[in-house]
Amino acid sequence: MPVDNATASTQPLLAPGPDASLAIEVRDLHKSFRIPTHRVDSFKERIVRPFAARDYRELHALDGVSFEIRQGEFFGIVGRNGSGKSTLLKLLASIYRADSGTIRMAGRLAPFIELGVGFNAELTARENVVLNGVMMGLTPEETRSRLDAVIEFAELEEFADLKLKNYSSGMLVRLAFSLMLEVDADILLIDEVLAVGDASFQQKCADAFHAMKAAGKTIVLVTHEMAAVEAYCHRAMLISDGRIQHIGDPAEVGRHYLRLNFEGEGAPPGGVGEESEEVRVLDAYLENSAGQRVDSLEHGEEIQLRIDLEAKHDQPGLDVGLVITNADGIGVFQFDFIAGEPEAREVSAGQRVRIASRLANPLAPGRYFVHCGVNRAFGGGVALYVPNAIDFVVFGGPNDRGIVFLAQETEAVIEGEGS
């Protein structure tokens, strides 16, 4: 069926054949919003300037997005705030209309973009479950037959006849999530609902997701929680600035997301320009394996420190010490070295000392600082001390506590006779 490219269409995926196993097919999807550059906030301003020209700027939320999701696939969508992922989900749910492109779906859709939206605060939980169940496509009889299961899963038996205006936000989310589980839908669109309720309820939610995955439901999940993406999703997609940056294995998408998320996180080097009467810091930075300056590293990626010093006076030699600390000021590692060869350590005025150090990176995720101390050779005392010469962030790695992750092999053996 031909589609007018001027407007997007949402069509059922009817014909069997090569695309019969597809649940969702998106092709060249575009969506923009017009944002006024000058807001008219008062009624008086509207009266005084009724015909004033309004200027707008175009915000391109999605720019040519194309992807496919197979039936029974648990598909994750990740991206930074403002990347376009929630706009995409609302287009899939037909809440927004796209500017151009096509969306095709196979099966019954249940969107859960904002849990709790559509509830009536003046009605009880029981009444809201029946009302919303019918709105989601169930018959009144089907909804009533599942009412007790919804209330029980949400752990709201004691509050089932209480009006929702008296519910806490957590109770509302639990009720909405429980209702979602009882809807017979082929495709579920879910936006950020994993952190609902207390620890025990979150575990129930996790079990429910695993059950839906095992049952072959097609689920599209938008979240910032990369651990959830790796735990549940078969595939994932990273969106940035309205475009797909990476699609494929959830762990690989997670690494791309973390790199994107931490770009520019490090503060400008605190040591550049620091000087004493004898020594000046010209530059201090980290670089990656390609020789590019960076201010963030993935766990396990080699740490390459670069510091350039300049002698302001003739020196018999310079000894340099570097200390790496975490954000709490706890020392992680310290090492010292001699600038130049031991037999030719003199540094003349105007000469530069270039320090290049390569370190293994077992650091846990977090912010770290490199402090630099320059001593006069042969016990001559401190020539310059620069705290926070380099500031960088480590991301990724195992989700364990501690400052560093150490490679280890452990064996536990029970010996001796039992009682």
Side-chain angles (χ1 to χ4, degrees):
M1 179 177 179
V3 178
D4 181 6
N5 197 44
T7 58
S9 61
T10 303
Q11 311 166 26
L13 197 61
L14 299 175
D19 290 343
S21 62
L22 290 182
I24 300 175
E25 183 183 47
V26 175
R27 288 285 177 266
D28 197 27
L29 202 61
H30 292 260
K31 178 62 178 177
S32 298
F33 297 95
R34 296 178 68 192
I35 301 177
T37 56
H38 175 70
R39 294 179 56 184
V40 179
D41 295 319
S42 67
F43 185 71
K44 177 181 178 181
E45 190 170 0
R46 291 183 182 274
I47 295 295
V48 173
R49 304 175 60 195
F51 304 108
R54 296 186 181 181
D55 295 326
Y56 296 88
R57 65 181 179 89
E58 289 285 331
L59 174 63
H60 298 283
L62 293 175
D63 189 9
V65 170
S66 299
F67 63 95
E68 297 175 349
I69 300 176
R70 300 281 172 181
Q71 290 181 357
E73 189 171 21
F74 207 128
F75 191 82
I77 300 177
V78 299
R80 303 183 70 177
N81 290 333
S83 62
K85 60 186 187 300
S86 292
T87 298
L88 173 59
L89 211 60
K90 290 177 180 178
L91 286 168
L92 295 176
S94 297
I95 295 173
Y96 291 162
R97 182 179 182 182
D99 300 331
S100 65
T102 58
I103 301 173
R104 297 202 297 166
M105 299 242 181
R108 179 176 166 188
L109 175 69
F112 299 91
I113 308 302
E114 296 180 24
L115 291 180
V117 172
F119 281 163
N120 187 329
E122 294 297 328
L123 299 180
T124 66
R126 293 184 189 278
E127 294 167 336
N128 271 286
V129 169
V130 174
L131 177 62
N132 279 268
V134 171
M135 291 172 60
M136 293 175 183
L138 298 177
T139 66
E141 293 74 18
E142 288 174 328
T143 305
R144 291 190 182 93
S145 69
R146 304 176 191 192
L147 176 60
D148 290 340
V150 172
I151 299 297
E152 181 181 357
F153 188 93
E155 301 173 2
L156 296 172
E157 293 93 338
E158 296 181 16
F159 311 99
D161 296 309
L162 185 67
K163 290 185 178 181
L164 294 196
K165 67 181 181 181
N166 298 311
Y167 271 33
S168 69
S169 58
M171 294 166 70
L172 286 172
V173 171
R174 281 158 50 189
L175 181 64
F177 185 85
S178 302
L179 179 59
M180 178 192 75
L181 299 180
E182 292 296 328
V183 176
D184 292 329
D186 302 301
I187 303 172
L188 300 174
L189 305 180
I190 306 173
D191 189 3
E192 294 285 9
V193 297
L194 295 177
V196 293
D198 54 24
S200 62
F201 189 78
Q202 288 183 33
Q203 184 57 52
K204 290 175 66 174
C205 296
D207 295 339
F209 272 113
H210 284 297
M212 287 189 288
K213 182 177 180 180
K217 297 285 187 181
T218 302
I219 304 172
V220 181
L221 173 67
V222 167
T223 181
H224 288 96
E225 182 55 57
M226 298 313 304
V229 172
E230 294 191 30
Y232 302 117
C233 297
H234 297 102
R235 287 191 304 143
M237 178 172 72
L238 171 62
I239 294 183
S240 179
D241 297 326
R243 297 184 179 91
I244 296 175
Q245 300 297 319
H246 193 80
I247 187 168
D249 178 70
E252 184 64 24
V253 170
R255 285 190 287 270
H256 281 270
Y257 171 72
L258 288 172
R259 292 191 190 103
L260 180 67
N261 208 47
F262 282 101
E263 284 180 355
E265 277 296 303
V272 175
E274 293 283 341
E275 60 182 302
S276 66
E277 294 183 357
E278 299 158 87
V279 184
R280 177 186 297 114
V281 177
L282 299 176
D283 210 349
Y285 59 95
L286 261 63
E287 68 179 24
N288 59 18
S289 58
Q292 301 168 326
R293 293 183 181 231
V294 295
D295 46 30
S296 61
L297 299 169
E298 185 174 0
H299 167 78
E301 184 180 354
E302 187 179 58
I303 300 172
Q304 299 187 33
L305 302 173
R306 301 291 183 264
I307 300 177
D308 290 341
L309 307 173
E310 181 183 62
K312 298 174 65 176
H313 301 289
D314 293 345
Q315 304 284 342
L318 296 175
D319 298 339
V320 181
L322 298 177
V323 180
I324 299 178
T325 67
N326 66 4
D328 295 321
I330 299 174
V332 179
F333 185 60
Q334 176 177 343
F335 58 106
D336 305 289
F337 49 90
I338 297 171
E341 299 295 331
E343 64 276 5
R345 300 181 57 186
E346 296 84 0
V347 182
S348 302
Q351 278 192 315
R352 297 184 177 184
V353 176
R354 177 158 294 175
I355 299 166
S357 182
R358 302 162 68 97
L359 308 172
N361 179 13
L363 299 175
R367 187 176 296 279
Y368 295 88
F369 300 90
V370 179
H371 312 296
C372 177
V374 183
N375 297 323
R376 306 178 193 92
F378 310 111
V382 178
L384 176 65
Y385 176 71
V386 184
N388 303 340
I390 300 176
D391 171 356
F392 66 99
V393 169
V394 173
F395 61 87
N399 188 24
D400 296 323
R401 296 183 178 181
I403 299 176
V404 297
F405 300 108
L406 302 178
Q408 53 84 30
E409 294 183 5
T410 303
E411 181 179 297
V413 179
I414 300 176
E415 297 181 344
E417 298 181 359
S419 57

